[in-house]
Amino acid sequence: LQTRMQSLQPDPKAQYRSVYEALKKIVLTEGFWRPLRGINVTMLGAGPAHAMYFACYEKMKKTLSDTIQHGGNSHLANGIAGSVATLLHDAVMNPAEVVKQRMQMFNSPYKSVLQCVRTVQKTEGFSAFYRSYTTQLTMNVPFQAIHFITYEFMQEQVNPHREYNPLSHVFSGGVAGAVAAAATTPLDVCKTLLNTQENMALSSLNISGHLSGMVNAFKTVYQLGGISGYFRGVQARVIYQIPSTAIAWSVYEFFKYFLTKHKLEKRT
């Protein structure tokens, strides 16, 4: 839904006023499973990407917190650790995101993930999978910095003793995701344009070839939609991020607690 709603020059048949209307229209006209297209490639990349992401975050957070605040909770350490972890995460997820978004566009010519990968590789080259990588990082570094700082801040408020408390992890994760998602929506709109290379949008401005670079994407979005263009799909983005980050943190905190407890029991 987010990809469709961020379209800058949508087909008349793919114009939506709200998340509910978009979902209803897509299901009725394109089938029940259409909103889930491309989810398999996202799932394939998510496992290794998140493993590297959380491992890097924990290690860097501990090292930097020891240096900056002698083992205490440092917001600066949390922000830096989250930003560095993003470099590894996005290196894996960027190609998956390109494929997913191309398959989700209205009237997408791709029937399968493999066909999409082969076609993009053949027509645009390997670099197409990383065309939005700098924009992705430019978006995700502030996103993850805000996300981790907000999560750790919320934990200080609702779970000051930092015990395993599923409800506090779900709540803190949801709030962190919502705040970070809303703040970085303009960058996400630019990333979607770079990933999808939306033909109608580019041809309306007489842009030939492929659009590349965040600066060009920012200019193009403004030319097509003005200031409001940067916030297309903000509602869908926030709605998506709240459960996403809430689930991610609750699952992560559970395994962290479970493995730590198991390790302590083995020692004693």
Side-chain angles (χ1 to χ4, degrees):
L1 297 183
Q2 184 184 323
T3 301
R4 293 281 188 95
M5 292 184 80
Q6 285 179 347
S7 176
L8 295 162
Q9 292 274 309
D11 187 286
K13 293 176 185 174
Q15 289 180 352
Y16 316 110
R17 286 189 298 269
S18 68
V19 173
Y20 174 73
E21 187 200 336
L23 185 61
K24 186 181 173 184
K25 208 169 178 181
I26 291 167
V27 168
L28 288 175
T29 59
E30 301 173 55
F32 181 77
W33 298 108
R34 181 63 171 160
L36 297 176
R37 278 204 83 190
I39 196 170
N40 50 347
V41 73
T42 305
M43 289 171 69
L44 198 66
H50 276 77
M52 290 189 293
Y53 173 68
F54 279 114
C56 178
Y57 172 70
E58 279 296 332
K59 181 67 180 171
M60 282 211 69
K61 182 179 81 166
K62 189 176 185 306
T63 305
L64 290 170
S65 290
D66 287 345
T67 307
I68 298 167
Q69 211 159 310
H70 307 293
N73 181 39
S74 165
H75 293 309
L76 180 61
N78 298 335
I80 295 170
S83 300
V84 175
T86 305
L87 297 174
L88 293 173
H89 176 272
D90 287 1
V92 176
M93 287 305 293
N94 204 85
E97 186 76 1
V98 171
V99 174
K100 183 196 80 172
Q101 289 194 317
R102 293 203 180 210
M103 291 186 72
Q104 287 176 342
M105 289 299 284
F106 182 74
N107 275 343
S108 172
Y110 311 110
K111 302 289 180 227
S112 69
V113 168
L114 202 59
Q115 186 205 356
C116 182
V117 171
R118 283 175 177 165
T119 307
V120 173
Q121 165 70 30
K122 194 175 177 182
T123 57
E124 299 176 46
F126 180 75
S127 63
F129 295 108
Y130 283 94
R131 193 177 282 131
S132 67
Y133 185 56
T134 51
T135 307
Q136 179 90 332
L137 287 178
T138 309
M139 178 187 76
N140 277 355
V141 166
F143 176 92
Q144 297 302 351
I146 295 166
H147 172 206
F148 282 107
I149 289 168
T150 307
Y151 178 80
E152 299 288 356
F153 173 77
M154 290 304 299
Q155 280 291 284
E156 280 183 344
Q157 307 309 308
V158 299
N159 186 17
H161 300 297
R162 303 310 293 263
E163 296 165 344
Y164 175 63
N165 183 332
L167 196 61
S168 82
H169 302 315
V170 169
F171 177 72
S172 299
V175 171
V179 171
T184 55
T185 297
L187 290 159
D188 194 46
V189 172
C190 295
K191 184 203 74 174
T192 297
L193 180 61
L194 287 170
N195 274 350
T196 58
Q197 298 292 312
E198 204 182 321
N199 289 329
M200 285 179 72
L202 299 184
S203 60
S204 70
L205 293 177
N206 297 317
I207 296 171
S208 56
H210 301 297
L211 188 71
S212 63
M214 190 187 68
V215 175
N216 289 333
F218 256 98
K219 286 178 183 174
T220 307
V221 170
Y222 184 75
Q223 285 175 298
L224 290 163
I227 296 295
S228 62
Y230 293 117
F231 290 92
R232 289 184 73 89
V234 64
Q235 188 187 7
R237 181 166 160 76
V238 169
I239 290 169
Y240 164 77
Q241 283 297 341
I242 289 173
S244 174
T245 47
I247 292 166
W249 276 111
S250 58
V251 171
Y252 170 67
E253 293 282 9
F254 167 75
F255 279 104
K256 186 178 167 184
Y257 164 76
F258 176 78
L259 294 170
T260 307
K261 188 185 174 189
H262 185 66
K263 208 172 179 180
L264 285 170
E265 282 173 354
K266 275 184 80 178
R267 280 179 187 170
T268 53

